[in-house]
Amino acid sequence: MPAVLAIAAHPDDIEFVFAGTMLRLADLGWDLHYVNLCDGSKGSTQLSNDRCAQVRREEALRSCEKMGATFYESIFPDMEAQYTPANLRKVAAIVRAARPSIVLTHSPVDYMEDHEVACRLAVSAAFCHAMPNFHSDPPTPIYDHPVTVYHAQPYGNCTPLCEPVRPSHFVDTEAVIERQLELLACHASQKEWLDRSQGLDSYLVQMKQLAADVGAMSGQYKYAEGWRRHHHAGFCGPDDDPLRATKVAQPLRGDPK
């Protein structure tokens, strides 16, 4: 069974901009794997650090179970994401355990550092998935089939300098949008935090609006998730594009591919 691994920064990031694609792949028989590298511990104005991490782990587990995915534990606290050899060895172990053909992760340039660091770790861990002389933590056997990395849209579909970012791949999520909302709703602790810290009003409404914005970009879909494929060198063949091969993703209208 082919596998897809989502590597995100925080609990609820997957549900916001990855889960529609994961649900579409699951409906085709793909095996789902799920990890938030940060523990969510800073996502509250009311809970203590440890209690917040506990609550957000429980919420992520609930969502993961509803999704039917395999859950992997976080490896560092919020706002302490760092690209270090020790952290890379831990993420490499997750990649090797999941043995994915597809890795989904954040945009390389996004509105906050945790997202960008999670992306860098995901890319490097996928790169060394078949590298026997790179030792993961814990030690996990390598696998040697190709892996293709795709980057989600940055928050707001723009860089931190407000430059627009357009995806090369669009996944129609209209058929799964209500299931995606149910998954995001598992992260109930985030309503108060996002209302106060980022002015998102309702995080559920915001997620649906983000999907509608990408759908409008496509010129084809009511709701969509957007992706950009990472360069193939060291990961897969030059023509490997499993999201398109499964027909889950379609190119921008007018794209000859």
Side-chain angles (χ1 to χ4, degrees), residues 10-16 34 36 55-64 67 71 180-194 203-204:
H10 310 103
D12 79 12
D13 286 341
I14 289 173
E15 289 77 5
F16 259 106
Y34 173 115
N36 305 301
V55 167
R56 298 198 70 193
R57 179 183 181 277
E58 291 168 356
E59 291 172 341
L61 267 172
R62 194 173 306 122
S63 173
C64 192
M67 193 187 299
F71 181 87
Q180 188 173 355
L181 284 167
E182 289 179 11
L183 297 176
L184 184 57
C186 292
H187 298 270
S189 70
Q190 292 308 281
K191 183 183 188 310
E192 179 270 342
W193 165 250
L194 293 174
Y203 69 131
L204 300 176

Side-chain angles (χ1 to χ4, degrees), residues 165-180:
V165 174
R166 294 185 66 81
S168 57
H169 296 56
F170 290 90
V171 174
D172 180 5
T173 59
E174 183 174 3
V176 298
I177 194 76
E178 295 304 321
R179 291 161 62 193
Q180 188 173 355

Side-chain angles (χ1 to χ4, degrees), residues 7-8 16 22-23 28 43 55 61 75 78 82 95 102 105 157 169 174 177 179 181 208 228 248:
I7 301 177
F16 259 106
M22 295 176 74
L23 291 169
L28 294 177
V55 167
L61 267 172
I75 64 175
D78 288 2
Q82 295 183 52
V95 172
I102 290 175
T105 192
N157 297 307
H169 296 56
E174 183 174 3
I177 194 76
R179 291 161 62 193
L181 284 167
K208 205 168 185 179
R228 290 176 293 162
V248 164

Side-chain angles (χ1 to χ4, degrees), residues 170-251:
F170 290 90
V171 174
D172 180 5
T173 59
E174 183 174 3
V176 298
I177 194 76
E178 295 304 321
R179 291 161 62 193
Q180 188 173 355
L181 284 167
E182 289 179 11
L183 297 176
L184 184 57
C186 292
H187 298 270
S189 70
Q190 292 308 281
K191 183 183 188 310
E192 179 270 342
W193 165 250
L194 293 174
D195 286 356
R196 295 186 63 175
S197 68
Q198 298 180 39
L200 292 189
D201 186 23
S202 168
Y203 69 131
L204 300 176
V205 172
Q206 181 68 10
M207 186 277 278
K208 205 168 185 179
Q209 184 58 56
L210 290 171
D213 291 345
V214 178
M217 283 175 133
S218 76
Q220 303 173 65
Y221 305 128
K222 183 175 181 180
Y223 300 111
E225 288 178 348
W227 298 96
R228 290 176 293 162
R229 176 178 172 269
H230 198 88
H231 196 281
H232 70 278
F235 299 89
C236 58
D239 298 320
D240 289 357
D241 195 349
L243 275 183
R244 284 190 182 170
T246 61
K247 307 298 184 185
V248 164
Q250 297 297 326

Side-chain angles (χ1 to χ4, degrees), residues 101-172:
S101 297
I102 290 175
V103 168
L104 305 176
T105 192
H106 291 291
S107 172
V109 179
D110 210 338
Y111 83 113
M112 71 167 303
E113 191 78 6
D114 283 353
H115 287 208
E116 295 183 351
V117 174
C119 171
R120 291 183 63 204
L121 288 167
V123 169
S124 292
F127 187 86
C128 64
H129 74 283
M131 196 179 289
N133 288 340
F134 184 83
H135 304 294
S136 65
D137 177 19
T140 309
I142 63 168
Y143 71 101
D144 60 6
H145 66 70
V147 58
T148 306
V149 177
Y150 295 91
H151 298 283
Q153 282 292 95
Y155 180 74
N157 297 307
C158 63
T159 72
L161 299 181
C162 300
E163 301 155 331
V165 174
R166 294 185 66 81
S168 57
H169 296 56
F170 290 90
V171 174
D172 180 5

